[in-house]
Amino acid sequence: MNYDNLLDNIKKIHFIGIGGSGMCPLAEILHSEGFELTGSDCNEGDTLERIKSYGIPVYMGHKAENIGDTELVVYTAAVKMDNPELIEAKSRNIPCIERSIMLGIVTRRYNRSIAVSGTHGKTSTTAMLSQVLIGSGFDPSAIIGGKLPFLGGNSYVGKSDIIVCEACEYVDTFLELTPYISIILNVDADHLDYFKDLDHIKQSFNKFAKQTTGALVINGDDENTLDAVKDVKLPKVTFGFKDTNDYYAANLTTQGAYSKFDFMNKGEKLCEIELVVPGTHNTYNALAAAATAAYLGATPKEIAEHLHKFTGVHRRFEILGKPQGITVADDFAHHPTELTTTLKAAMNMGFNTVWAVFQPHTFSRTAMLLDDFATALSIPDKAIISEILPVRETNTYNIYNTDLGAKVEGSKCIDTFEDITKYICENAKEGDLVLTMGGGNVYMCANMILKALSTEE
């Protein structure tokens, strides 16, 4: 169904779950275009405060009467079909659409929409590219999956015809988009509760690439990406470390968390880029952002300047504090590939002992990628594994954190954040790194460790 004319005769829109990281930016953009918005949510937070600051009425809790005289309802994927607001709207034949559909509608209102896809690195790359384009005067709108310190939030409403957004492959939501430029960072086996196998994932990326209208910016070092787009007849801009790519990194050097490299284009050095975010994965993310910015007309000087100013995104190797000389950091890594790249970077940063506190995320992912998780968690000096966070699943896989712990020599399985905090406080020493990792609420454990160590201090 084509929803693109849906907004033509509508003035009032209600968002169920308006404080969500994916909902808030859409609300901001539609509010700036003059639509009358209302919203509801169950949790207070920074994003909700920002929404309220625009004068948008927000109801706490979900009730049928919150629908009022709205003409369209937008809901997040997390909203259940028995939500009273959804039931009320449907009973009155008010159109109800999921967030990913609204993202497609909104981004098609911009002539140059840029969608950042890939199994890993979407949020960091979207943030990097947004920072470069905003800093270089392109004035794009931006929808980012994490908080960008440069913006003080996860979105930006610009006045140009450019919008930058993340394109998530889970349950094929990115197929709601028809971007002008599609960035594909990498293609890896993930979300195997939905996708049958890697070939199924490649097929989805192939469909996504074919919905692109302008150009593809792709990782030329990633065989899965190249395979996924091999029959797509669109201009392709490649990036990576190999000098066969259109844009590539040469003379890469790293020192602690910092790295620098020559940003090359077909044998010519355009500029030197110095990053203050760690890891080879972030060099790839920076190359993707730089190649896209260059394609849009940003100068090498602008690209180098604004990538150097990029200090990271919330929950992406985010250093929270250094109580008692112990560095406490938190990272969103929840797939073996992400754990591996982040932990390898951490091990090269000069800490005495690297403690990885990992919260497995979903039973299906833990069961299907168990050996890969074990290999990744063997990289740090010490690994602590919490209970598995079920998210949307029941444990039909009969999998437990002890199954993973048994495969990681020297690891400890400690179920609760309280007990993990106690163990870390008793055993971590000055000069150590404590890195919490996972796609769930393990950041709460990081905050508990930080608070406990600071109190002892």
Side-chain angles (χ1 to χ4, degrees):
M1 181 176 174
N2 189 336
Y3 294 94
D4 286 4
N5 300 325
L6 194 59
L7 298 179
D8 290 355
N9 302 304
I10 278 174
K11 195 73 183 160
K12 297 180 178 178
I13 306 173
H14 179 74
F15 280 72
I16 306 177
I18 196 166
S21 63
M23 294 282 267
C24 170
L26 289 172
E28 285 184 289
I29 288 169
L30 291 167
H31 173 74
S32 76
E33 290 187 16
F35 289 93
E36 291 177 31
L37 303 189
T38 55
S40 63
D41 214 303
C42 292
N43 303 303
E44 296 283 0
D46 293 347
T47 49
L48 214 56
E49 286 308 309
R50 205 158 82 245
I51 288 295
K52 289 177 184 174
S53 74
Y54 297 119
I56 296 170
V58 176
Y59 309 105
M60 295 312 294
H62 299 302
K63 295 184 281 297
E65 58 263 33
N66 293 348
I67 293 299
D69 61 350
T70 194
E71 298 162 290
L72 172 66
V73 170
V74 183
Y75 60 93
T76 70
V79 167
K80 303 279 191 291
M81 288 302 112
D82 61 356
N83 181 284
E85 296 177 22
L86 212 48
I87 291 169
E88 172 70 11
K90 287 180 175 177
S91 74
R92 287 163 48 190
N93 292 320
I94 297 168
C96 301
I97 60 172
E98 200 267 324
R99 184 204 78 91
S100 62
I101 294 172
M102 180 55 93
L103 179 63
I105 294 169
V106 167
T107 54
R108 278 187 287 277
R109 293 162 78 86
Y110 293 76
N111 288 332
R112 292 185 286 173
S113 61
I114 302 163
V116 182
S117 76
T119 313
H120 320 290
K122 290 183 289 291
T123 297
S124 293
T125 305
T126 306
M128 283 179 177
L129 180 57
S130 299
Q131 185 153 341
V132 170
L133 293 179
I134 293 166
S136 304
F138 284 79
D139 200 32
S141 295
I143 297 175
I144 306 164
K147 189 174 179 181
L148 177 58
F150 170 71
L151 297 176
N154 69 323
S155 58
Y156 182 81
V157 179
K159 293 186 169 62
S160 75
D161 68 342
I162 298 174
I163 186 166
V164 184
C165 70
E166 282 182 47
C168 182
E169 75 278 12
Y170 183 58
V171 298
D172 281 331
T173 52
F174 65 173
L175 298 184
E176 299 294 343
L177 303 174
T178 49
Y180 169 66
I181 294 173
S182 290
I183 299 171
I184 304 179
L185 298 166
N186 40 64
V187 177
D188 200 354
D190 194 16
H191 301 303
L192 296 172
D193 55 329
Y194 173 75
F195 294 110
K196 291 194 285 288
D197 51 28
L198 183 58
D199 282 338
H200 186 191
I201 296 167
K202 287 181 188 177
Q203 287 164 21
S204 281
F205 274 94
N206 180 268
K207 280 186 202 166
F208 170 67
K210 285 177 176 172
Q211 291 178 189
T212 308
T213 61
L216 298 178
V217 178
I218 58 173
N219 183 343
D221 294 354
D222 185 60
E223 292 301 327
N224 290 337
T225 298
L226 295 175
D227 192 35
V229 303
K230 64 185 178 217
D231 68 335
V232 182
K233 298 189 169 35
L234 271 175
K236 292 171 186 159
V237 179
T238 57
F239 65 87
F241 283 81
K242 296 175 182 171
D243 61 11
T244 48
N245 291 302
D246 296 315
Y247 293 96
Y248 58 97
N251 303 317
L252 174 69
T253 58
T254 58
Q255 186 174 6
Y258 303 105
S259 64
K260 61 182 172 185
F261 59 89
D262 294 336
F263 180 47
M264 308 289 290
N265 176 223
K266 295 174 180 170
E268 178 194 353
K269 178 180 172 179
L270 300 180
C271 57
E272 184 179 75
I273 292 175
E274 188 172 352
L275 297 177
V276 297
V277 285
T280 305
H281 59 299
N282 273 318
T283 305
Y284 271 109
N285 296 340
L287 284 168
T292 309
Y295 184 83
L296 291 169
T299 67
K301 182 175 180 294
E302 289 168 337
I303 292 167
E305 178 188 347
H306 297 293
L307 281 176
H308 179 61
K309 289 179 180 175
F310 178 78
T311 57
V313 185
H314 175 54
R315 296 220 61 212
R316 302 312 188 274
F317 212 112
E318 182 179 16
I319 293 174
L320 304 175
K322 298 180 183 179
Q324 300 184 48
I326 299 167
T327 300
V328 180
D330 176 55
D331 194 274
F332 189 69
H334 55 282
H335 182 281
T337 303
E338 296 163 354
L339 288 172
T340 299
T341 50
T342 302
L343 288 169
K344 279 183 176 176
M347 292 296 286
N348 287 323
M349 290 170 69
F351 293 103
N352 293 341
T353 302
V354 172
W355 297 76
V357 177
F358 178 57
Q359 179 190 44
H361 189 254
T362 73
F363 300 117
S364 59
R365 185 184 279 126
T366 309
M368 291 173 180
L369 302 173
L370 188 68
D371 288 344
D372 295 334
F373 276 119
T375 301
L377 288 170
S378 301
I379 294 169
D381 301 301
K382 307 275 186 181
I384 296 173
I385 305 163
S386 80
E387 272 187 316
I388 299 171
L389 188 72
V391 194
R392 50 191 171 261
E393 299 176 340
T394 51
N395 193 5
T396 55
Y397 299 86
N398 196 30
I399 185 85
Y400 299 93
N401 61 342
T402 49
D403 296 314
L404 178 54
K407 289 175 173 282
V408 182
E409 191 178 337
S411 66
K412 288 193 82 68
C413 291
I414 305 176
D415 288 347
T416 69
F417 293 165
E418 288 79 11
D419 288 341
I420 291 171
T421 300
K422 184 170 182 288
Y423 186 81
I424 288 289
C425 288
E426 287 170 356
N427 291 281
K429 296 184 169 53
E430 185 178 351
D432 288 1
L433 167 69
V434 178
L435 178 61
T436 57
M437 309 180 85
N441 60 350
V442 71
Y443 62 87
M444 294 169 67
C445 186
N447 290 328
M448 288 163 67
I449 292 166
L450 185 71
K451 185 178 179 184
L453 290 172
S454 300
T455 304
E456 287 176 17
E457 199 171 42

